[in-house]
Amino acid sequence: MKKIVTAISGVVIGFLLATVFFADFTDIGPKSVADSNEKSNSEKVYVPFGEKDEYYLFASGGHSGQMFIYGVPSMRHIRTVPVFSQDSATGYGWDKETKEMLGGYTWGDLHHPAFSETDGDYDGKYMFATDVGNSRAAVMNLETFTVKDIISIPNTSGPHCAMFVTENTEYMFLPTRFAVPIGHKYEPLDDYSEKYRGVMSAVTFDEKNEKLGIAYQIALPPWSYDLSDAGKKMSKDWAVITTYNTEEATTNLEINASQADRDFILLFNWKEIEKMVENGQYDEVEGQKMIFPEKHKGAMYLIPVAKSPHGVDVTPDGTRFIASGKLAPAMTVFSFEKAFKAIENKEFAGERNGIPILNYESVMEREANPENALGPLHTQFDDEGMAYTTMFISSEIVKWDPNTGETLDRVPVQYSPGHSVAAEGDTVSPDGKYIVALNKIAKDSFLSVGPSHPESMQLIDLSQEKMEVIQTAPVNPEPHYAQMIKADKINTITVYPKDEANPNAVYSLEDTRIERKGNEVHAYGIAMRSKFVFDVNTERPDVIEVNEGDKVTIHLTNIDLDQDITHGFAINGYDLNIEIQPGQTNTVEFVADKAGTFPVYCTNFCSALHQEMTGYLLVKPKN
């Protein structure tokens, strides 16, 4: 009996010990507020100090010409990167390199940013952007977040719908918003249909030399080309562009460009066009290889679409493209497979300007028309292929199923969203976690700053059954278009590596010097906490003395190789200011056309003795 009691006691004690040490008590009692499904909106967007956001958001700065960088989900503004406009905060547009890149322009209208891609996925290496204001294209290196090249696009005016890159960054296609005569020659508007063209450019990127170029141009009909997208996977050799003003109106477009019931989507095969160029099927015009569709036939087709469409977006699996009606309350789903069959079977309904028109019914799969949703503009996708379309007039984002057209959910935004951007949204594999509404109007959302109100971006959580706005951030005008990329895809540097081959770089005091060649003065100096040294062998090494009329070139190397020690260099009264980041060598050129005494100083706070980081430019008068 004693043995039985002892055995039972042992089992009970063992069970109790196992319960104490190994049992899971997490389902007992109230759940933690940190449970992802029960987080407040504030907790969902809170990123504690010392931790980083999950995504970068690159938002176009519209007519500021700049790119705004945010963290998501915090929606904190991290940086403004100057692209097409001067920026005194960074000296962009005053130093030799960036001044030459801007080409004399002082502003730009940055519309559509796009990441470089590998196999249809963002690769985190480069960002491209277009300037509608002055018809330019730019590329930004994402190791340094600095612009490396800007090119002017000839024969075109306002590449609004670009830039969208092909699956492996072979091309960026830049169609034009405004039709103009080739070469921008004077031609009367009465001759618009005959003499004007909507030229599209195929821009290439030489990654080794970080240079943009133009492979060829296509002289499309004189219409306005709005948005575009490149194909993916089974449609990777193709691209689509929406058009409006196919009426070819030349005045009062608000009315005259909306007369026809339908405009067109241009569907083109860039691989075939590439072969056409290789085979010499083009004309040399204004120094460009120009393809005229009525003369160089093939590879381009028109598809009728509801009047004045805005967005056209390819689904992540590459099987469909969706047009947003803008003036029609519907999204139209087209099938690439049906389009390919229609082309093969020559199911045409005539042609315009030498380009065959495919039968609408042969290519259209369905029309989606969410109840009371007005002004569809742009569509993004989640990780399950569901579509999210911004509704400008009814101020909302509508979630719907491209497979059925069924409306699944909708969320109001404040107010009038133009575009939206989903996490990894333009890739073959969107994340499906967030979407950001880029709102054109804020009205009473924030403290008043006068008649011109701030605009806004709103972060929407897609991880729950119902979409929910979880953060609203005021932004500078204009949040036009954006791209969102996983933060761990971007690998920045903190210090520029030494470039011993750079003849303008100086890394030691002994090498600092000022050289005169006739009326040219070259200073090879260093910036370091907390002084400038232009010539260490002089009585006052932080002074440059020149003659009135001299051409002065100052090369400065920041030899503070520590993270976040950036110096500025300004010449008081000479309207000059440049930035020198850690390890960087930068150059400023000017003509000393004003005699006198001009202090120089560091404009970027760098140390406790920042105020002492000064010197003088002395300009001796001619007489």
Side-chain angles (χ1 to χ4, degrees), residues 24-169:
D24 182 0
F25 296 101
T26 55
D27 289 335
I28 299 174
K31 291 182 179 296
S32 165
V33 294
D35 187 300
S36 62
N37 292 330
E38 297 183 3
K39 283 183 178 179
S40 68
N41 289 345
S42 296
E43 288 174 308
K44 289 178 180 175
V45 302
Y46 177 61
V47 179
F49 180 77
E51 295 185 17
K52 306 293 194 306
D53 281 291
E54 187 176 0
Y55 295 93
Y56 283 101
L57 175 68
F58 287 65
S60 63
H63 43 284
S64 76
Q66 321 290 35
M67 189 88 75
F68 304 135
I69 316 297
Y70 293 82
V72 174
S74 73
M75 299 300 289
R76 292 180 298 204
H77 179 208
I78 301 170
R79 185 74 168 175
T80 295
V81 180
V83 180
F84 292 118
S85 303
Q86 291 180 314
D87 176 42
S88 61
T90 58
Y92 187 84
W94 279 273
D95 65 74
K96 183 175 185 291
E97 180 183 357
T98 59
K99 185 178 181 180
E100 288 176 355
M101 278 199 303
L102 288 178
Y105 293 104
T106 59
W107 78 288
D109 190 2
L110 196 159
H111 268 233
H112 285 86
F115 288 116
S116 55
E117 294 184 12
T118 300
D119 295 330
D121 208 0
Y122 302 151
D123 58 26
K125 295 161 70 176
Y126 292 94
M127 164 61 75
F128 305 99
T130 54
D131 170 20
V132 175
N134 291 304
S135 302
R136 292 175 292 171
V139 56
M140 180 193 305
N141 181 308
L142 296 183
E143 284 188 338
T144 58
F145 280 56
T146 55
V147 174
K148 291 299 181 183
D149 193 24
I150 296 175
I151 60 169
S152 292
I153 309 297
N155 304 318
T156 192
S157 280
H160 173 259
C161 63
M163 106 167 11
F164 290 96
V165 303
T166 52
E167 200 169 50
N168 285 295
T169 320

Side-chain angles (χ1 to χ4, degrees), residues 193-262:
S193 295
E194 293 75 32
K195 299 292 181 63
Y196 285 60
R197 289 282 185 163
V199 170
M200 176 173 73
S201 305
V203 171
T204 56
F205 177 56
D206 176 355
E207 183 174 337
K208 181 180 178 182
N209 296 303
E210 297 187 317
K211 290 292 182 184
L212 297 167
I214 299 174
Y216 57 85
Q217 295 187 315
I218 302 175
L220 293 169
W223 307 337
S224 293
Y225 298 85
D226 205 0
L227 295 183
S228 60
D229 203 358
K232 302 178 177 76
K233 297 182 177 178
M234 59 91 76
S235 58
K236 64 181 181 180
D237 296 344
W238 296 77
V240 285
I241 307 169
T242 53
T243 69
Y244 63 96
N245 192 27
T246 55
E247 298 86 349
E248 301 178 9
T250 56
T251 186
N252 201 5
L253 265 60
E254 182 183 29
I255 296 172
N256 296 328
S258 305
Q259 298 299 303
D261 285 337
R262 292 196 181 278

Side-chain angles (χ1 to χ4, degrees), residues 471-488:
Q471 179 70 300
T472 300
V475 297
N476 287 326
E478 176 195 7
H480 190 85
Y481 195 74
Q483 298 266 271
M484 196 190 311
I485 186 173
K486 289 176 183 173
D488 60 10

Side-chain angles (χ1 to χ4, degrees), residues 514-535:
I514 297 174
E515 298 176 347
R516 173 174 286 279
K517 299 174 184 175
N519 65 344
E520 292 187 9
V521 176
H522 295 259
Y524 298 85
I526 62 174
M528 59 186 289
R529 285 170 291 180
S530 302
K531 59 186 175 185
F532 297 107
V533 178
F534 304 112
D535 188 342

